[in-house]
Amino acid sequence: MFVKSTLVALLVVSLSWMQSFSQESTPTQVTPAVFIEPNSTDATVALSGFQTSNSKPANGPVSTPNATPLIKLETLPNSAGQVWRQYDLRTYTNQISTTQNPQQAIVDWILRETGTEMWFNEPLGILSATRDQLYVYHTPEIQSVVEKVVDGFLKSGGHLQVVGVRLLTVGNPNWRATAYSMMQPIDVRSAGIEGWMISKENAAILLNQLRRRNDYVEQGGGDLTAHSGQRMVINRTRPIDFIKAIRWSPGRFPAFETIPARIDEGFSLDISAIATIDGTIEALLRCDVDQVERLQQVNVDVPDAAGGVQTVRVGVPQLLSWRLNERFRWPSDQVLLLSCGVVANPSEQTGGLGLQNLFNQSRGRADALVMIEYKGPARATVNPRQAAQSQLVPVQSPR
């Protein structure tokens, strides 16, 4: 009898404990869910309420515990007065068949004009493009900037443009002594970079003067043709191969392996230009120069097959590099002239192979100049304005 009473008591306690555990483990609410309705452009934000596990939401299935937190948006937020606009790009993109995604040039220019960060922070912004349409959701101020960029591309019609580009080096910067009277300085944000506008007539005179110097080298360039706003690229590099390190391999023979490396020495010039209807040129210019001024050699002793020692030479490159990445705007009847100062010389005749320096200056140093001239639409006659309208100081041709 005593045993039976004890078993009954234990059963009652167990049932009570199981009931309590069941009540404690029953979820009372789940995380909110958020959905963004397509084609919504207003600013009202609707959050779905917390739902219990024993009730169903008004619309949709029962939420489960540990679900990913979502927020239901009936419309897009516009706390900063954002508006939705779509731009038809076909006037521009339908003219370009040589590039798979010509609309990317428009997106890139918008990001350069507005900055990238603002599209990923508050207030909410959307920027997306197809070949036919550009979709933008942002404040009216940003929309006006976007509209100006798109308008420039559409008015260009995507036609082919010709831009003359020259990359020059002069061993001594004293060429400025006779050139300042021909040049009008402009503001440049990049440290160490100088810029001038010069009339096309005076640019020809200056170029003729520079060519008389024995420290003058024309590194590359010529007339580049591309659709308005699309990239034009000049590359002139050569590979320099060397052993950069040794990796030890215990238990193998040989007990090491060499790790090769390559540096592409030379320069890359990347230009994207748009001619506007008001007679100005807007261009993004990027120039990268890398030069191996010297390849330091380190001798490392390693075991050979005969049980002796052999020497492996490891190279440590001594690099000279400079970068230019800036946007410029100038009249189409002018030539843009940029100086990057006395920097690494991109000439193929100096650098890692230890060839003789042509300039009798510090090894691998020269005043790097970039000259950019807009020559108008391809297969069209360009009639630039007279030099007198440029308000630059005219000079006479040297006798």
Side-chain angles (χ1 to χ4, degrees):
M1 186 66 180
F2 174 77
V3 174
K4 183 177 180 180
S5 301
T6 303
L7 290 175
V8 172
L10 289 175
L11 180 60
V12 172
V13 171
S14 298
L15 291 174
S16 177
W17 177 81
M18 291 176 63
Q19 182 179 7
S20 175
F21 176 79
S22 175
Q23 292 176 351
E24 291 178 358
S25 61
T26 301
T28 58
Q29 62 183 23
V30 296
T31 49
V34 182
F35 303 91
I36 301 179
E37 297 289 342
N39 304 321
S40 298
T41 59
D42 200 39
T44 307
V45 179
L47 300 181
S48 63
F50 290 99
Q51 303 293 335
T52 65
S53 60
N54 298 323
S55 63
K56 294 184 178 181
N59 297 304
V62 177
S63 299
T64 58
N66 301 323
T68 303
L70 301 171
I71 300 178
K72 184 176 181 180
L73 297 180
E74 299 292 347
T75 53
L76 291 174
N78 67 344
S79 57
Q82 299 100 305
V83 293
W84 177 270
R85 290 183 184 174
Q86 296 177 213
Y87 301 86
D88 191 337
L89 306 181
R90 288 174 292 181
T91 302
Y92 175 78
T93 56
N94 284 352
Q95 304 300 318
I96 303 175
S97 59
T98 56
T99 303
Q100 184 176 5
N101 296 304
Q103 72 277 6
Q104 186 61 46
I106 301 177
V107 173
D108 292 341
W109 274 81
I110 292 173
L111 294 177
R112 294 180 194 119
E113 189 72 26
T114 63
T116 303
E117 295 79 6
M118 66 178 306
W119 298 96
F120 301 97
N121 294 292
E122 294 181 351
L124 174 67
I126 298 174
L127 178 64
S128 180
T130 66
R131 190 181 181 94
D132 296 336
Q133 299 285 329
L134 176 71
Y135 307 94
V136 184
Y137 184 67
H138 220 290
T139 61
E141 293 77 14
I142 298 301
Q143 292 284 7
S144 64
V145 175
V146 172
E147 183 178 1
K148 182 178 179 181
V149 173
V150 175
D151 188 59
F153 275 86
L154 297 183
K155 288 180 178 178
S156 74
H159 300 305
L160 288 172
Q161 308 290 330
V162 181
V163 178
V165 180
R166 297 178 186 273
L167 178 59
L168 322 170
T169 54
V170 184
N172 194 312
N174 62 5
W175 63 269
R176 292 168 169 79
T178 57
Y180 271 130
S181 61
M182 293 185 282
M183 304 185 301
Q184 182 71 26
I186 61 175
D187 293 331
V188 183
R189 291 176 297 177
S190 301
I193 308 296
E194 292 182 86
W196 303 272
M197 288 189 304
I198 180 171
S199 70
K200 294 187 177 183
E201 295 84 354
N202 288 341
I205 295 173
L206 175 60
L207 192 59
N208 187 46
Q209 292 177 352
L210 293 176
R211 284 172 174 164
R212 294 195 182 105
R213 300 174 61 106
N214 59 8
D215 60 354
Y216 167 84
V217 177
E218 188 159 340
Q219 304 291 344
D223 289 347
L224 305 180
T225 302
H227 294 277
S228 182
Q230 299 295 315
R231 296 174 58 197
M232 297 172 281
V233 180
I234 301 175
N235 279 309
R236 201 175 91 181
T237 60
R238 58 172 180 173
I240 295 181
D241 297 310
F242 61 98
I243 297 174
K244 72 174 184 178
I246 293 177
R247 180 184 291 118
W248 300 106
S249 304
R252 296 175 50 189
F253 187 84
F256 71 94
E257 60 179 326
T258 58
I259 303 176
R262 169 176 290 185
I263 295 176
D264 291 325
E265 182 183 60
F267 72 88
S268 174
L269 189 61
D270 190 328
I271 300 174
S272 176
I274 297 179
T276 62
I277 59 174
D278 61 353
T280 60
I281 304 299
E282 292 190 40
L284 179 71
L285 177 63
R286 177 174 179 176
C287 188
D288 298 326
V289 175
D290 293 293
Q291 178 187 319
V292 181
E293 186 181 38
R294 185 179 179 186
L295 196 59
Q296 302 270 10
Q297 299 291 343
V298 178
N299 295 328
V300 181
D301 292 335
V302 297
D304 60 15
V309 175
Q310 64 175 338
T311 300
V312 175
R313 305 186 74 183
V314 174
V316 181
Q318 180 176 321
L319 290 174
L320 288 173
S321 301
W322 58 271
R323 304 283 183 264
L324 172 64
N325 190 357
E326 184 130 0
R327 182 178 172 185
F328 298 94
R329 181 184 176 95
W330 73 97
S332 59
D333 66 330
Q334 305 288 309
V335 176
L336 177 67
L337 178 62
L338 301 173
S339 168
C340 299
V342 180
V343 294
N345 180 8
S347 174
E348 290 183 342
Q349 295 158 313
T350 62
L353 300 184
L355 300 180
Q356 183 179 3
N357 183 10
L358 298 180
F359 301 142
N360 295 322
Q361 302 290 327
S362 300
R363 170 190 278 274
R365 304 297 204 279
D367 192 357
L369 306 176
V370 179
M371 188 176 288
I372 304 177
E373 176 186 358
Y374 175 69
K375 296 188 175 182
R379 297 185 298 275
T381 301
V382 181
N383 296 313
R385 294 173 295 184
Q386 298 298 318
Q389 296 179 345
S390 65
Q391 299 181 353
L392 300 181
V393 179
V395 297
Q396 296 182 352
S397 176
R399 297 181 184 274

